[in-house]
Amino acid sequence: MGPPSSSGFYVSRAVALLLAVLAAALLLALAVLAALYGRCARVPPSELLHRGVPDATPSPPGAQEEPLPTRLTGPTREPAVTATPSSGRPPGPWDQLRLPPWLVPLHYELELWPRLRPNESWAPMLTFSGRVNITVRCTVATARLLLHSLFLDCESAEVRGPLSSGTGDGAVGRVPVDGVWFAFDMQYMVLELGGTLQPGSQYELQLSFSGLVYQDLREGLFFNVYTDQGERRALVASQMEPTFARSVFPCFDEPALKATFNITIIHHPSYVALSNMPKLGQSARRDANGSIWTVTTFSTTPHMPTYLVALAVCDYAHVDRTERGKEIRIWARKDAIANGNADFALNITGPIFSFLEDLFNISYPLPKTDIIALPTFDNSAMENWGLLIFDESLLLMQPNDRVTDKKAVISFILSHEIGHQWFGNLVTMNWWNDIWLKEGFASYFEFGVINNFNPKFPRNEIFFSNILHNVLSEDHALVSRAVSLKVENFTETSEINELFDLFTYNKGASLARMLSSFLNENLFISALKSYLKTFSYSNAEQDDLWRHFQMVIDDQNKILLPATVKSIMDSWTHQSGFPVITLNVSTGAVKQEPFYLGKVKNETLLTRNDTWIVPILWIKNGLTQSLVWLDKSSKIFPEMQVSASDHDWVILNLNMTGYYRVNYDKLGWKKLNQQLEKDPKAIPVIHRLQLIDDAFSLSKNNYIEIETALDLTKYLAEEDEIIVWYAVLVNLVTKDLVFDVNSYDMYPLLKKYLLKRLISIWNMYSTLIRENMATLQDDYLALVALEKLFETACWLGLEDCLQLSRELFKNWVHHPENEYVLLKI
């Protein structure tokens, strides 16, 4: 899944369902809708759905049930199985978050029929029905089956077997289903059997079901309503990750329970159906009203988890190209395709695939890739194998996007989702507690991809801007969480959804980058190649990854580590927060301590005594020094001492590859300040950025005095890197300062201080904007930082800023198509 959005708000499915149903009831007042709602098992989690389900197929009026396609054999419609009341449920495996290991799914034959028709006034919800035949292998004798199901009506259930062969064909018997009930709180469907399944035998579960499709919900099946070519239209799409497949079809909805899928979609003939694999064939189906529906079948998928199952039913157009013999298609509104809005994404997608194939020496295993741009997808993206789904704002270029960071945003997110084809799709984490294994590495390789195609991109500065700054600002020892969690820490499904956060994405990427830095890129990639090859089409845990890194380390003798890779990396992934590394440049003493927000004066209040095994890459007087390790709370490194010479200075954490902040004693800060005032260019850009960000964060949280951080800004009249200015301004000109009445006395002082230093960088960029703004279109850091520069200069009353703002606004009034408006002045 794409990186978490920083804007908007989230409404849970339960709340959204309730609101949608209330609205539908008030608007439509249809008894049949109320009945459907009543059958969809929306009750408080404390209750258990424990009942039979009457005939509730959401078919068109008068429609009759048709037999399944040839590939999907199973029961015809039967009376629903009755069950006992919900009260008095005994303790059992349905009280646990994880499925019991009784059954292993091998193959799904899945048919879905969303009732989407063109030219209708779409209600807040649609209906769908489906059937699934699941071939399973029994591992433990059981007379009870558990699988996931949520907000679905089970209309019939059969168990056939033992099967006479491993192919799922030729069932030789039938196991009676005596009852079906739902453990709503853990989202299980429970089948009570009239016989016992035998270990080692295969069986086929045959289930018919129905449910609802909600507008813009982005969970399970949902639909968008949009305008294209002047007409109001609708489409249906899916989002199964992390635990929403169970709301589309009954399944074994855990990432380790991989299986193959044959998917069939029934849809209106005017729509196209897309899924993970290429279309295999089409046929027609007539309902009782005489309406014709199209039945589209798709080829068999590779082994994959349920969260990667994907489908879309739409009236879209596409552009396509071939990369290494495999088709790539980008689907979008017909207007967008005609206007060329998908061309940029199409042109970079194939090369990204090829680069990663070559990097990992593993070919992309599917025969095609479809990428679809949805009108509404919560500013997100999803890496489904063979059918990637994007919010169109993250995939399509508009004409006025030329001088924005839009190209870079599209490149980063496409790289992230394509990276998942290896990290997540090919090799999947065993369970969600190790989700960083896919999201962290996909986030890390965004930058490798971008750097490959744009070698002049300032990779370290962009990583800091996009990844490191945000997570260091949020991470601390008392409140944040570890990257890798214990499975037993999870008790509710909702806790899985909460894992898609900064710590999974940004901290995971930062730790991958740190690992690469203290090894080297060649060893790093070699270990990942071995890991990906070994666990292809399978699942892995964090320790599996560390073993493959250790194997690579053991096969060479140049890189020596103070401990095993597992010991080093577990110290970072199994505990929250990060360390502050403090260097005394007079003695060379280095110590570590956990970073706390608002560090308290009374150290006895801090009960944690955590340590990390810390790699310290560093520079002295501009020269890179040998890697050292801080593997205990403190250590002395005589080589880090500085002399009285004005030219002697030390900076720890080369290129900010270590996941920590750095503090110095007063002499250390003084030396760095002197160097900045004398010759700031002697300190690389990434380290000028680091010094500003670390110093202000440390002063804000009581590690150093604010004067120490402010001293580092005295040289800024000589600073011509806008990303460094951005770090200064976001730390000095905060929202609290701008809007707090009590800060007005400070305004004249800050204005005098900043304008004297800011005028040089302002003149540089205002001249570019006036003379040839197009020169900025490939300057990603400038495009990120210009808004803050404009905002601050105008807030400080810089007359040229106010004048330029008036010029740009006037230009936009007369030429509203002009991209200047995107400066958000």
Side-chain angles (χ1 to χ4, degrees):
M1 192 183 295
S5 172
S6 59
S7 62
F9 61 91
Y10 178 79
V11 177
S12 70
R13 185 180 184 99
V15 173
L17 291 174
L18 180 60
L19 293 174
V21 170
L22 289 174
L26 290 172
L27 292 172
L28 305 177
L30 296 175
V32 63
L33 190 57
L36 280 171
Y37 173 77
R39 284 194 295 271
C40 279
R42 293 167 178 81
V43 296
S46 60
E47 290 188 30
L48 170 69
L49 293 178
H50 199 112
R51 56 185 170 76
V53 183
D55 187 352
T57 304
S59 301
Q64 66 181 17
E65 281 292 321
E66 298 286 341
L68 289 166
T70 304
R71 291 194 307 166
L72 188 61
T73 59
T76 56
R77 189 165 187 78
E78 298 179 352
V81 179
T82 59
T84 56
S86 61
S87 59
R89 183 178 83 191
W94 40 81
D95 298 317
Q96 305 300 315
L97 184 61
R98 301 290 301 274
L99 281 164
W102 303 339
L103 301 177
V104 176
L106 304 175
H107 179 72
Y108 292 77
E109 294 277 348
L110 175 63
E111 175 191 279
L112 294 171
W113 186 351
R115 299 319 201 274
L116 177 69
R117 299 178 180 84
N119 304 317
E120 287 191 347
S121 55
W122 299 281
M125 63 190 76
L126 304 171
T127 58
F128 77 95
S129 61
R131 304 181 186 186
V132 64
N133 292 353
I134 312 174
T135 302
V136 299
R137 183 178 69 251
C138 179
T139 60
V140 177
T142 179
R144 178 182 286 133
L145 304 185
L146 270 72
L147 66 163
H148 289 106
S149 180
L150 183 66
F151 305 130
L152 295 175
D153 294 328
C154 178
E155 294 160 0
S156 67
E158 286 192 14
V159 177
R160 296 187 182 275
L163 304 181
S164 59
S165 70
T167 63
D169 299 327
V172 296
R174 172 178 173 180
V175 182
V177 178
D178 292 343
V180 178
W181 54 277
F182 295 86
F184 181 81
D185 47 355
M186 291 300 173
Q187 304 178 357
Y188 289 134
M189 170 192 289
V190 183
L191 276 63
E192 302 285 357
L193 305 181
T196 301
L197 305 189
Q198 298 302 315
S201 296
Q202 293 185 14
Y203 298 85
E204 187 176 70
L205 316 183
Q206 301 181 345
L207 305 166
S208 297
F209 52 92
S210 60
L212 300 177
V213 186
Y214 289 87
Q215 185 171 354
D216 300 336
L217 196 54
R218 207 177 72 87
E219 295 181 6
L221 280 186
F222 61 93
F223 71 99
N224 286 176
V225 177
Y226 62 97
T227 300
D228 191 12
Q229 297 180 323
E231 297 179 357
R232 190 168 177 264
R233 298 178 182 177
L235 62 80
V236 166
S238 65
Q239 170 62 24
M240 308 298 192
E241 188 184 34
T243 59
F244 305 133
R246 64 193 66 177
S247 66
V248 179
F249 60 101
C251 57
F252 297 86
D253 200 11
E254 292 187 3
L257 299 177
K258 291 187 172 184
T260 55
F261 293 79
N262 284 342
I263 296 173
T264 297
I265 301 173
I266 304 175
H267 56 95
H268 192 275
S270 64
Y271 293 123
V272 63
L274 303 172
S275 189
N276 304 84
M277 297 298 288
K279 180 176 66 177
L280 184 64
Q282 283 188 326
S283 60
R285 181 178 298 188
R286 185 184 301 275
D287 65 27
N289 289 334
S291 298
I292 300 295
W293 296 79
T294 298
V295 180
T296 300
T297 59
F298 299 89
S299 299
T300 305
T301 71
H303 278 87
M304 66 182 197
T306 49
Y307 80 80
L308 290 178
V309 171
L311 66 98
V313 175
C314 60
D315 182 15
Y316 266 10
H318 71 273
V319 288
D320 62 82
R321 63 174 285 174
T322 299
E323 183 77 12
R324 295 183 174 178
K326 296 182 178 181
E327 185 178 37
I328 297 170
R329 300 183 296 185
I330 295 186
W331 298 80
R333 308 183 201 217
K334 294 177 179 179
D335 281 342
I337 294 297
N339 292 334
N341 298 352
D343 292 350
F344 174 74
L346 179 68
N347 290 334
I348 66 173
T349 296
I352 293 173
F353 269 104
S354 294
F355 170 73
L356 292 174
E357 283 185 332
D358 294 340
L359 183 65
F360 301 130
N361 197 29
I362 298 175
S363 296
Y364 174 67
L366 272 66
K368 64 92 178 177
T369 297
D370 285 312
I371 304 176
I372 185 168
L374 302 188
T376 304
F377 196 53
D378 194 27
N379 293 314
S380 189
M382 180 62 202
E383 69 267 17
N384 311 300
W385 235 350
L387 178 55
L388 286 69
I389 298 180
F390 280 68
D391 189 299
E392 64 179 24
S393 66
L394 302 179
L395 189 69
L396 305 181
M397 287 286 295
Q398 302 298 328
N400 59 1
D401 286 334
R402 186 169 59 91
V403 188
T404 69
D405 61 352
K406 188 66 171 290
K407 281 188 176 181
V409 169
I410 293 172
S411 300
F412 279 122
I413 296 179
L414 264 173
S415 299
H416 181 99
E417 304 307 330
I418 294 172
H420 275 311
Q421 309 307 301
W422 287 266
F423 293 97
N425 297 9
L426 185 66
V427 178
T428 309
M429 65 280 158
N430 196 54
W431 203 66
W432 299 106
N433 61 309
D434 277 333
I435 188 178
W436 86 275
L437 293 179
K438 78 181 187 76
E439 296 298 350
F441 279 89
S443 297
Y444 170 76
F445 277 106
E446 292 176 27
F447 298 88
V449 171
I450 299 302
N451 190 68
N452 178 72
F453 296 113
N454 303 275
K456 293 183 180 180
F457 256 41
R459 183 173 180 176
N460 292 320
E461 290 81 0
I462 291 176
F463 190 92
F464 171 83
S465 174
N466 286 17
I467 299 291
L468 193 57
H469 172 73
N470 292 334
V471 71
L472 285 178
S473 300
E474 297 292 329
D475 200 4
H476 56 102
L478 291 179
V479 177
S480 61
R481 67 168 181 83
V483 168
S484 181
L485 302 170
K486 295 180 179 179
V487 174
E488 54 266 28
N489 290 351
F490 294 82
T491 58
E492 297 181 5
T493 303
S494 60
E495 294 169 342
I496 298 172
N497 300 322
E498 295 168 3
L499 293 174
F500 292 85
D501 61 10
L502 276 174
F503 304 110
T504 289
Y505 290 81
N506 294 31
K507 187 171 182 177
S510 300
L511 296 182
R513 179 170 176 254
M514 183 174 69
L515 177 59
S516 174
S517 72
F518 71 72
L519 301 177
N520 60 52
E521 191 70 8
N522 288 336
L523 289 179
F524 182 75
I525 296 299
S526 293
L528 290 178
K529 287 180 179 178
S530 174
Y531 165 78
L532 291 171
K533 181 178 180 180
T534 300
F535 294 100
S536 290
Y537 306 104
S538 185
N539 298 80
E541 298 178 345
Q542 177 176 277
D543 282 354
D544 297 317
L545 179 64
W546 301 154
R547 276 192 291 272
H548 282 264
F549 274 101
Q550 192 63 51
M551 288 163 52
V552 171
I553 291 295
D554 293 342
D555 284 343
Q556 55 84 55
N557 54 21
K558 291 183 179 181
I559 303 294
L560 301 177
L561 302 179
T564 64
V565 173
K566 173 177 168 57
S567 296
I568 294 170
M569 295 306 297
D570 279 358
S571 75
W572 296 90
T573 62
H574 283 322
Q575 61 181 333
S576 62
F578 60 87
V580 175
I581 307 301
T582 301
L583 167 64
N584 185 316
V585 298
S586 298
T587 63
V590 179
K591 69 173 185 177
Q592 63 167 293
E593 59 184 313
F595 176 78
Y596 296 94
L597 290 182
K599 181 185 179 186
V600 296
K601 299 294 185 182
N602 186 353
E603 298 289 340
T604 61
L605 295 179
L606 305 180
T607 58
R608 285 183 50 167
N609 190 31
D610 299 324
T611 58
W612 290 259
I613 303 179
V614 184
I616 301 178
L617 288 160
W618 56 296
I619 56 175
K620 188 172 188 178
N621 305 330
L623 299 176
T624 301
Q625 306 297 307
S626 298
L627 169 70
V628 298
W629 289 88
L630 181 62
D631 52 2
K632 50 188 177 182
S633 60
S634 63
K635 211 169 185 178
I636 294 178
F637 299 97
E639 63 270 31
M640 292 184 181
Q641 296 178 22
V642 299
S643 67
S645 167
D646 291 342
H647 302 284
D648 225 9
W649 51 272
V650 170
I651 293 179
L652 306 188
N653 197 9
L654 178 65
N655 293 327
M656 296 188 76
T657 53
Y659 188 71
Y660 49 86
R661 292 199 184 275
V662 181
N663 190 11
Y664 304 90
D665 63 346
K666 289 185 178 180
L667 179 59
W669 285 115
K670 180 181 177 181
K671 290 281 189 179
L672 292 167
N673 183 40
Q674 288 173 342
Q675 183 61 47
L676 286 172
E677 293 195 50
K678 181 176 58 180
D679 181 13
K681 294 298 179 70
I683 298 178
V685 176
I686 185 61
H687 290 297
R688 304 202 298 273
L689 188 60
Q690 173 198 11
L691 291 174
I692 294 293
D693 198 65
D694 279 355
F696 275 100
S697 176
L698 293 171
S699 66
K700 178 182 177 182
N701 293 287
N702 304 321
Y703 286 84
I704 61 175
E705 300 297 327
I706 184 60
E707 289 80 6
T708 302
L710 289 173
D711 281 345
L712 296 176
T713 67
K714 291 179 180 179
Y715 86 99
L716 283 173
E718 305 300 319
E719 182 57 75
D720 59 1
E721 293 289 344
I722 194 169
I723 191 61
V724 179
W725 266 104
Y726 180 77
V728 172
L729 297 179
V730 296
N731 279 291
L732 276 181
V733 187
T734 63
K735 289 183 179 179
D736 290 341
L737 176 65
V738 172
F739 295 109
D740 188 352
V741 170
N742 296 323
S743 300
Y744 286 176
D745 291 342
M746 189 186 300
Y747 177 81
L749 300 174
L750 190 62
K751 177 178 179 178
K752 180 179 179 180
Y753 183 81
L754 277 180
L755 282 183
K756 178 181 177 181
R757 291 163 173 80
L758 182 141
I759 191 67
S760 177
I761 192 76
W762 168 261
N763 287 339
M764 178 190 304
Y765 280 95
S766 63
T767 300
L768 283 174
I769 291 170
R770 284 188 170 104
E771 293 181 355
N772 186 10
M773 193 173 181
T775 59
L776 296 174
Q777 63 183 328
D778 294 322
D779 190 343
Y780 175 74
L781 292 177
L783 294 171
V784 168
L786 268 175
E787 181 183 344
K788 187 64 179 179
L789 181 65
F790 252 92
E791 172 192 296
T792 304
C794 289
W795 178 69
L796 293 173
L798 181 63
E799 178 56 36
D800 190 53
C801 179
L802 299 172
Q803 177 59 33
L804 180 55
S805 299
R806 288 189 286 265
E807 292 172 13
L808 294 176
F809 182 74
K810 182 178 179 180
N811 185 296
W812 175 69
V813 168
H814 291 94
H815 304 281
E817 76 283 357
N818 202 304
E819 65 268 16
Y820 295 152
V821 70
L822 295 176
L823 284 173
K824 302 178 185 177
I825 56 176

